[in-house]
C-alpha cells in the first residue's frame, strides 16, 4: 500500500484534518507540514483532552513519529516556541523529533502588523484573514526578499535583510499608523536570540525525507487550510496565500511531484467557512445555527464563528478532481443526526456554465440546486462499524460518492480518535 500519503482539506478548511491525522498516526513514521503557517488550527481530542496545533504537524503527539516543517511553511518563531512550550506538558521534549527546514521563510512582526492594519482599513476587499502575517510573509517569499531560517545564523546578512525589509515595511506601516514603526536593533536582537533556541531543530528536510523514502517508511503530508483556499485554484481573492492543494507538497516539502501514492481528502458532511468570500450553500436561518451549535463551529485559531451551510458537491467534486483524490474521509456526519431533511448541492443555476464558474470561481451569482434526502433520527455519533449506520445515513454517504466521483473510505462520527468508521484503510498496517 501507500508509503507517501497526502491528507488535504477539500473545502474552506477546518474539515477535521487534525482528528484524521491522529487516527492515522499509529501507522506512520514521519509527518510533514509543507505550506501555511500558524493560521491553521488542527484539533485533536486525546483522552478527553483538547489539543490544538497551529504550526507543528498534528502527529507530534505520537512519540515515535519524526515531524518536519518544510521550506513552504511560513514560520513565526514566537508562535513555534509558544506551541513547543504548551505542548511540553503532554508530549515532553521534542528536540529529537522536530526538524525545521533551513530554507523556510520567517514571519516577522512587521508582517503581522501590516496584515492587521490592511485588513482594518479595507472595506470592499476585506479578506477576513487570521491576522497572522501569512499573506505578507508569502509576498516577501515570492518577492525574493524573505528572511529564511538559514539567515538567522549569519548576523551580517540578517542585519542587511532586516534593514531592507524595514525600509519597505516602516513605509507601509506609516501610511496606516505613525506610532507602530519597527526598530532595527530590537528586531535584530530578537531574531538572534530566537536563532539560538531554534538551532537544535534546524535541518535538511529534503535529504531526511529522501532517506525515509529509500527505507520504505510511511510519510504523511499534512495539508493546512483547504483546497478552496488555495491562492491559485480557490475562491480568489478570498483565499490564503499558499498552495493548499496537492500541488503545494512538492515545492513545499521538497519531494517529487509524482511521489504521492495516496491522496486522502477530508470533507465535512456539510460546509463551513471562516472569513469573507462567496459561499453558495450558506444557511443563515435556523438550520445554519443548528449546524454551528451542534458542530461547535468556532475557529480553532481565531475563535471567530464559522459560517455554515449544506454540503456543496459541485465544489467538492471539483476538489476531488484537482487533488487526485483516492478516497474521502467524511467528517462530522454525527452533526446531521436529528435533522428531518438533509440537502446536498448537486448543481448551480447561473447565467454562466459550470465550466465557466469553476474556471473563475465566480460563485457570487449562482443559485444552488439541491437534492433532498430524508434525514435520520437514529444517531450516528460514536459509531465505529459501517453496518451499524442507519439506512438514511448510508444513502447520504452513497449520494456523496455518486456526486463526487470518489469513494468515502472513512467516516468520522465524533471528535474523539475512536469515533471513526474505516471502510478502506489508506495505509499499510
Ligand atoms: P482542521 O483544521 O481541519 O484540523 O479542523 P478543526 O480542528 O479546525 O475543526 C474541526 C472541529 O471538529 C474540531 O473541533 C474537532 O474536534 C471536531 N471534529 C472533528 N471530527 C469530528 C466529527 O466527526 N464529529 C464532530 N462532532 N466533531 C468533529
Ligand atoms: P485550517 O488548517 C479555515 C482563512 C481565513 C481567511 C483566509 C485568509 O485550520 O483548516 P490568512 O490568514 O490565511 O491570510 O486568511 O483563509 N483561513 C482558514 N480558514 N481554516 C484554516 O486553517 C484557515 N487558515 C486560513 O479565515 O478567510
Ligand atoms: Mg482548523
Amino acid at each position: 500500500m501507500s508509503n507517501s500519503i497526502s491528507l488535504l482539506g477539500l473545502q474552506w478548511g477546518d474539515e477535521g484534518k487534525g482528528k484524521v491525522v491522529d487516527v492515522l498516526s499509529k501507522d506512520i513514521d514521519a509527518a510533514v507540514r509543507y505550506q501555511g503557517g500558524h493560521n491553521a488550527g488542527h484539533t485533536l481530542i486525546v483522552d478527553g483532552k483538547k489539543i490544538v496545533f497551529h504550526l507543528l504537524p498534528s502527529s507530534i503527539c505520537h512519540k515515535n513519529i519524526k515531524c518536519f516543517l518544510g521550506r513552504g511553511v511560513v514560520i513565526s518563531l514566537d508562535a513555534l516556541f509558544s506551541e513547543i512550550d504548551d505542548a511540553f506538558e503532554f508530549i515532553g521534549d521534542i528536540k529529537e523529533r522536530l526538524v525545521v527546514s533551513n530554507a523556510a521563510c520567517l514571519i516577522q512582526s512587521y508582517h503581522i502588523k501590516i496584515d492587521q492594519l490592511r485588513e482594518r482599513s479595507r472595506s470592499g476587499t476585506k479578506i477576513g484573514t487570521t491576522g497572522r502575517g501569512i499573506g505578507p510573509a508569502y509576498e516577501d517569499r515570492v518577492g525574493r526578499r524573505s528572511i529564511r531560517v538559514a539567515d538567522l545564523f549569519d548576523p551580517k546578512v540578517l542585519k542587511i535583510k532586516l534593514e531592507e525589509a524595514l525600509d519597505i515595511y516602516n513605509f507601509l506601516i506609516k501610511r496606516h499608523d505613525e506610532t507602530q514603526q519597527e526598530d532595527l536593533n530590537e528586531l535584530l536582537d530578537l531574531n538572534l536570540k530566537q536563532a539560538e533556541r531554534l538551532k537544535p531543530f534546524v535541518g535538511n528536510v529534503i535529504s531526511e525525507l529522501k532517506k525515509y523514502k529509500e527505507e520504505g517508511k510511511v510519510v504523511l503530508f499534512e495539508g493546512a487550510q483547504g483546497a478552496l483556499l488555495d491562492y491559485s485554484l480557490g475562491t480568489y481573492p478570498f483565499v490564503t496565500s499558499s498552495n493548499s492543494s496537492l500541488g503545494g507538497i512538492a515545492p513545499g516539502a521538497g519531494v517529487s511531484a509524482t511521489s504521492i501514492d495516496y491522496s486522502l481528502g477530508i470533507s465535512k458532511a456539510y460546509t463551513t467557512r471562516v472569513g469573507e468570500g462567496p459561499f453558495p450553500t450558506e444557511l443563515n436561518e435556523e438550520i445554519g445555527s443548528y449546524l454551528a451549535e451542534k458542530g461547535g463551529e468556532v475557529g480553532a485559531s481565531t475563535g471567530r464563528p464559522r459560517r455554515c451551510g449544506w454540503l456543496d458537491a459541485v465544489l467538492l467534486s471539483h476538489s476531488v478532481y484537482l487533488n487526485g483524490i483516492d478516497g474521502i474521509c467524511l467528517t462530522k456526519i454525527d452533526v446531521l443526526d436529528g435533522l428531518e431533511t438533509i440537502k446536498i448541492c448537486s448543481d448551480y443555476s447561473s447565467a454562466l456554465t459550470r465550466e465557466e464558474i469553476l474556471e473563475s470561481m465566480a460563485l457570487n451569482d449562482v443559485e444552488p440546486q439541491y437534492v433532498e434526502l430524508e434525514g435520520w433520527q437514529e444517531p450516528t455519533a460514536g459509531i465505529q462499524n459501517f453496518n451499524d449506520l442507519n439506512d438514511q445515513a448510508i444513502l447520504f454517504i452513497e449520494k456523496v460518492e455518486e456526486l463526487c466521483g470518489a469513494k468515502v473510505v472513512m467516516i468520522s462520527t465524533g471528535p474523539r480518535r475512536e469515533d471513526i468508521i474505516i471502510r478502506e484503510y489508506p495505509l499499510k498496517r
Side-chain angles (χ1 to χ4, degrees):
M1 274 292 271
S2 355
N3 286 332
S4 285
I5 178 170
S6 58
L7 185 152
L8 308 163
L10 297 177
Q11 299 167 303
W12 282 292
D14 304 326
E15 296 88 353
K17 298 177 291 294
K19 184 245 158 100
V20 184
V21 169
D22 188 39
V23 169
L24 298 177
S25 286
K26 65 181 184 356
D27 295 310
I28 66 168
D29 299 304
V32 190
R33 275 281 309 270
Y34 51 91
Q35 47 73 230
H38 65 306
N39 48 349
H42 298 177
T43 315
L44 285 64
I45 310 283
V46 181
D47 300 331
K49 200 168 173 258
K50 178 170 157 176
I51 308 167
V52 182
F53 290 113
H54 301 284
L55 203 44
L56 295 173
S58 304
S59 302
I60 196 90
C61 317
H62 296 249
K63 291 210 158 57
N64 50 348
I65 299 180
K66 190 93 177 249
C67 289
F68 296 90
L69 292 183
R71 64 214 296 113
V73 178
V74 283
I75 301 176
S76 150
L77 292 177
D78 285 339
L80 179 64
F81 296 147
S82 91
E83 198 163 327
I84 290 173
D85 290 342
D86 288 351
F88 186 81
E89 181 196 330
F90 53 94
I91 52 177
D93 193 350
I94 56 169
K95 263 198 200 82
E96 302 300 317
R97 294 201 295 118
L98 177 68
V99 180
V100 176
S101 168
N102 61 26
C105 297
L106 297 170
I107 298 182
Q108 298 284 350
S109 49
Y110 46 80
H111 292 129
I112 297 175
K113 263 184 200 169
I114 203 69
D115 187 5
Q116 296 177 359
L117 288 167
R118 267 187 202 159
E119 280 284 288
R120 232 178 282 157
S121 71
R122 275 179 176 139
S123 44
T125 53
K126 189 175 151 65
I127 308 293
T129 72
T130 59
R132 303 207 161 168
I134 306 296
Y138 278 115
E139 285 170 34
D140 277 0
R141 185 175 193 233
V142 179
R144 300 172 293 193
R145 54 178 175 265
S146 279
I147 293 167
R148 304 206 293 177
V149 166
D151 298 327
L152 291 171
F153 305 101
D154 187 336
K156 266 199 210 130
V157 169
L158 180 63
K159 188 172 180 201
I160 293 169
K161 286 196 152 193
L162 278 172
E163 237 164 358
E164 285 173 1
L166 288 191
D167 199 35
I168 299 171
Y169 280 96
N170 272 340
F171 174 75
L172 293 173
I173 289 168
K174 203 164 154 190
R175 275 194 63 240
H176 296 276
D177 184 349
E178 292 268 357
T179 66
Q180 291 203 40
Q181 295 288 287
E182 295 271 346
D183 180 78
L184 174 65
N185 289 326
E186 263 176 42
L187 209 52
L188 183 61
D189 286 350
L190 175 67
N191 273 266
L192 291 172
K193 213 168 105 207
Q194 289 181 322
E196 283 312 302
R197 185 165 180 199
L198 186 67
K199 211 172 198 168
F201 296 103
V202 179
N204 305 312
V205 174
I206 294 182
S207 57
E208 291 221 27
L209 290 179
K210 189 169 176 227
K211 232 180 279 161
Y212 272 85
K213 192 174 171 64
E214 285 163 357
E215 289 168 6
K217 299 263 174 68
V218 179
V219 180
L220 179 137
F221 296 88
E222 176 178 347
Q225 291 76 56
L228 302 176
L229 286 170
D230 184 293
Y231 80 87
S232 175
L233 296 163
T235 48
Y236 190 89
F238 302 99
V239 290
T240 192
S241 297
S242 64
N243 284 121
S244 44
S245 300
L246 189 73
I249 296 177
V255 294
S256 139
T258 56
S259 69
I260 302 300
D261 303 312
Y262 192 100
S263 173
L264 179 67
I266 318 295
S267 170
K268 277 178 186 165
Y270 50 100
T271 310
T272 64
R273 171 160 212 173
V274 203
E276 309 301 315
F279 182 172
T281 61
E282 182 168 17
L283 291 161
N284 291 313
E285 25 67 69
E286 211 180 307
I287 299 172
S289 316
Y290 177 89
L291 294 174
E293 194 173 321
K294 193 144 179 237
E297 296 299 353
V298 174
S301 277
T302 56
R304 290 178 291 175
R306 296 176 182 148
R307 300 152 66 190
C308 295
W310 295 120
L311 187 67
D312 187 331
V314 175
L315 294 178
L316 187 57
S317 64
H318 187 54
S319 290
V320 162
Y321 166 68
L322 288 175
N323 293 282
I325 295 301
D326 294 300
I328 294 179
C329 174
L330 196 64
T331 60
K332 304 190 93 159
I333 195 164
D334 54 297
V335 176
L336 303 181
D337 290 353
L339 288 174
E340 244 162 62
T341 308
I342 295 167
K343 295 186 190 180
I344 306 177
C345 168
S346 56
D347 205 353
Y348 298 142
S349 77
S350 162
L352 303 175
T353 64
R354 186 152 162 166
E355 292 72 22
E356 285 169 335
I357 293 166
L358 293 176
E359 185 68 23
S360 59
M361 282 301 215
L363 300 173
N364 276 326
D365 297 314
V366 303
E367 189 59 47
Q369 306 293 300
Y370 292 104
V371 289
E372 273 194 36
L373 303 176
E374 199 185 319
W376 54 84
Q377 303 311 312
E378 199 184 313
T380 64
I383 287 185
Q384 297 175 6
N385 293 308
F386 189 76
N387 295 334
D388 293 339
L389 289 173
N390 65 70
D391 291 346
Q392 277 73 30
I394 291 176
L395 282 175
F396 172 80
I397 292 162
E398 287 172 351
K399 196 71 189 169
V400 173
E401 292 180 320
E402 179 196 321
L403 292 171
C404 298
K407 176 141 192 192
V408 173
V409 293
M410 295 165 80
I411 300 138
S412 174
T413 56
R416 300 171 316 157
R417 188 185 284 170
E418 50 277 22
D419 302 328
I420 192 91
I421 297 170
I422 297 174
R423 293 170 85 192
E424 270 179 31
Y425 196 60
L427 295 171
K428 55 184 178 189
R429 291 195 203 243

